[in-house]
Amino acid sequence: MKHFPFTILDKGEFNVNQAINILVVEDDNDINQLLCKIIKKSEYQAQPAYSGTEAMMYLENQKWDLVLLDLMLPGMTGEEILQKLSEKGSIPVIIISAKNEQQTKINTLRSGADDFISKPFDVEEVSARIDSLLRRYNHTNEPTKQEVLTHKDIEIDLEAKVVYVNGVEITLTVREYAILVLLMTSPNKVFSKSNLFESVWNEPFHGDDNTVNVHMSNLRNKLSKANPDVEYIETIWGMGYRLKT
Amino acid sequence: MKHFPFTILDKGEFNVNQAINILVVEDDNDINQLLCKIIKKSEYQAQPAYSGTEAMMYLENQKWDLVLLDLMLPGMTGEEILQKLSEKGSIPVIIISAKNEQQTKINTLRSGADDFISKPFDVEEVSARIDSLLRRYNHTNEPTKQEVLTHKDIEIDLEAKVVYVNGVEITLTVREYAILVLLMTSPNKVFSKSNLFESVWNEPFHGDDNTVNVHMSNLRNKLSKANPDVEYIETIWGMGYRLKT
DNA sequence: GCTTTTCTTAAGTTTTGTCTTAAGTCTTTC
DNA sequence: GAAAGACTTAAGACAAAACTTAAGAAAAGC
């Protein structure tokens, strides 16, 4: 009944750091899955790409916070992608490759990569390096990372993971929290149920599911308990939900 | 000890962090220079040492805040120095080595090193790791800013490392103490288990771990023994722990 | 080197959020 | 205004997270 064709996640594993998007460019299906799993465990968003061309498509159409890049790829080599990336600007890149000779490492680091992990890699090491690199970039380049989300009288302290409504703190479950954060990243944007489900649960959406409805309802109850006068979340009939502006 | 006979500073070039002295133990002249340059860019004092014996001389005659240590050295191997250092006490050490095999890494970290950078290294990474390590040591060893942390009727004298609850002194183990201090630096902030573990243990977190739970439980017991009326630490299900405000 | 303390591991128990089901309410369309 | 479709609400079953306890391993102290 509940099977997960793409990503293997334990139940209860979900995503809070909606903001961080990581692209995983790796043609081997198993390794790609493993990498995505590691990333999601750290509460980042992971997007698999299985070829160089696919990767480029993602890179051109969306903003990415980090790229994990295999050097051996069909369609377009990792080196070419690296080249394009460094022309483009400052997206941090970690190279993942079986070529672990010193020379390759030096070359790739010269041509714009920020770190290098050789296969076979250690799961913890991957996780640690991703964290470290993100931290570095946040500190040096973008101090603009938003720590507090605000909408009307709702405030979310993303760092502390605390939510205030109308000045009162409310305690949400993880799912409720993830939904609210998602909505608040784009007020006024309508999130379809399938969108919402896939973002919060990291699982493909089967249409016959009432789960989102239930959690949405619970979230609304908690919000309106804190401030009965305002209706924060609006249902767009047949489309989805959004924050009322 | 307010003068620096070894480092040459241009006129007008001055150092804000007068206090921080870093010893760079590395026989390769170019690499040593590069490392010193990185360090000075961060406004710390850097002292090159080109052999194991030279390094020991410096270590015995002056107080150092951090040591960058190459493992391959003439005169005395890095391992020996590391050994001496850890006998001596708590000077933070970052190993710099070409031996980047996993096993070496684990061994050296076990025998007292605090971090590990493999050659060829990334300039920014070195800088970031130095900062991070100094920050870590400053927080735990020399809390020059705040000497006493207070929350409700808990008081921590960071200097003396003594904890009072409800006026009574309680004795905590190292881990319990570290957890409590971390929580008290940001009351109301939710610390996830992985966060907590990585801060207190300085190791990457394996999800299937129960140690945090156990220590949390022990800590709670000690706190509630001192004052049964108050519940200090709150569990946020699926998110982590925090101090109740 | 031995003793004592502390940390970790493991197993069993309790608590709590999540999912499902099903009945009820509201919208839209004809 | 009735029927169909879409959404809400509530309750019970279940599974996952958190807690407790105890014992063995590791570290610290003597």
Side-chain angles (χ1 to χ4, degrees), chain B residues 35-238:
Chain B
L35 287 170
C36 287
K37 204 173 154 193
I38 296 171
I39 290 167
K40 286 175 183 165
K41 199 146 197 171
S42 298
E43 302 188 344
Y44 305 122
Q45 293 285 351
Q47 173 60 48
Y50 297 96
S51 72
T53 43
E54 195 187 348
M56 280 315 291
M57 192 200 71
Y58 281 116
L59 286 168
E60 275 159 14
N61 294 317
Q62 199 181 329
K63 203 181 154 295
W64 298 94
D65 298 287
L66 195 148
V67 179
L68 290 192
L69 182 60
D70 185 9
L71 285 183
M72 304 283 224
L73 282 174
M76 193 178 183
T77 70
E79 277 93 349
E80 286 176 90
I81 294 179
L82 194 54
Q83 184 60 29
K84 294 269 179 201
L85 271 173
S86 58
E87 281 166 15
K88 238 181 136 188
S90 64
I91 302 177
V93 181
I94 298 179
I95 298 297
I96 300 205
S97 168
K99 302 176 175 175
N100 69 344
E101 304 97 31
Q102 205 68 352
Q103 197 47 48
T104 315
K105 195 164 171 177
I106 293 168
N107 282 342
T108 50
L109 287 175
R110 275 237 176 85
S111 58
D114 299 271
D115 209 341
F116 190 103
I117 299 173
S118 352
K119 285 191 257 187
F121 48 75
D122 180 55
V123 169
E124 281 171 37
E125 188 177 356
V126 174
S127 176
R129 296 213 179 187
I130 289 173
D131 284 344
S132 146
L133 196 52
L134 284 172
R135 216 176 302 124
R136 212 156 89 204
Y137 267 77
N138 271 340
H139 277 178
T140 51
N141 291 359
E142 288 184 61
T144 40
K145 288 176 192 170
Q146 212 176 349
E147 306 266 300
V148 177
L149 282 174
T150 314
H151 170 79
K152 288 186 180 169
D153 61 356
I154 306 177
E155 262 182 53
I156 303 184
D157 185 334
L158 293 170
E159 184 76 30
K161 296 192 176 169
V162 178
V163 183
Y164 300 93
V165 178
N166 197 18
V168 193
E169 186 186 327
I170 63 173
T171 48
L172 300 179
T173 71
V174 182
R175 297 268 134 104
E176 290 158 10
Y177 180 81
I179 292 172
L180 185 59
V181 168
L182 181 62
L183 292 178
M184 287 194 42
T185 53
S186 310
N188 213 36
K189 172 175 168 181
V190 180
F191 290 87
S192 73
K193 279 186 195 192
S194 53
N195 268 182
L196 226 150
F197 188 87
E198 277 161 15
S199 289
V200 173
W201 275 259
N202 277 320
E203 287 170 21
F205 179 68
H206 334 276
D208 59 340
D209 202 326
N210 189 34
T211 46
V212 175
N213 294 332
V214 174
H215 286 282
M216 197 56 77
S217 166
N218 293 337
L219 177 55
R220 276 176 166 159
N221 284 340
K222 289 189 181 176
L223 290 175
S224 74
K225 204 173 172 188
N227 188 351
D229 303 329
V230 189
E231 201 199 320
Y232 300 97
I233 299 169
E234 187 181 13
T235 304
I236 313 293
W237 221 84

Side-chain angles (χ1 to χ4, degrees), chain A residues 81-163:
Chain A
I81 293 178
L82 195 53
Q83 184 59 29
K84 293 267 179 201
L85 270 173
S86 57
E87 282 167 15
K88 238 180 136 188
S90 64
I91 302 176
V93 180
I94 298 178
I95 297 297
I96 300 206
S97 167
K99 304 175 175 175
N100 68 345
E101 304 97 31
Q102 206 68 350
Q103 198 46 49
T104 315
K105 194 163 171 178
I106 294 169
N107 282 343
T108 50
L109 286 176
R110 276 234 176 88
S111 59
D114 297 270
D115 209 341
F116 191 102
I117 299 173
S118 352
K119 285 190 256 185
F121 48 76
D122 179 54
V123 168
E124 284 166 30
E125 190 178 353
V126 173
S127 176
R129 298 217 175 185
I130 290 173
D131 284 343
S132 148
L133 195 52
L134 284 173
R135 218 177 299 127
R136 211 157 88 207
Y137 266 77
N138 272 342
H139 280 179
T140 52
N141 292 359
E142 292 183 63
T144 42
K145 192 190 173 192
Q146 212 176 356
E147 303 274 293
V148 177
L149 283 174
T150 314
H151 170 79
K152 287 186 180 168
D153 61 356
I154 306 177
E155 262 181 54
I156 305 184
D157 185 333
L158 293 170
E159 169 81 358
K161 296 187 180 171
V162 178
V163 182

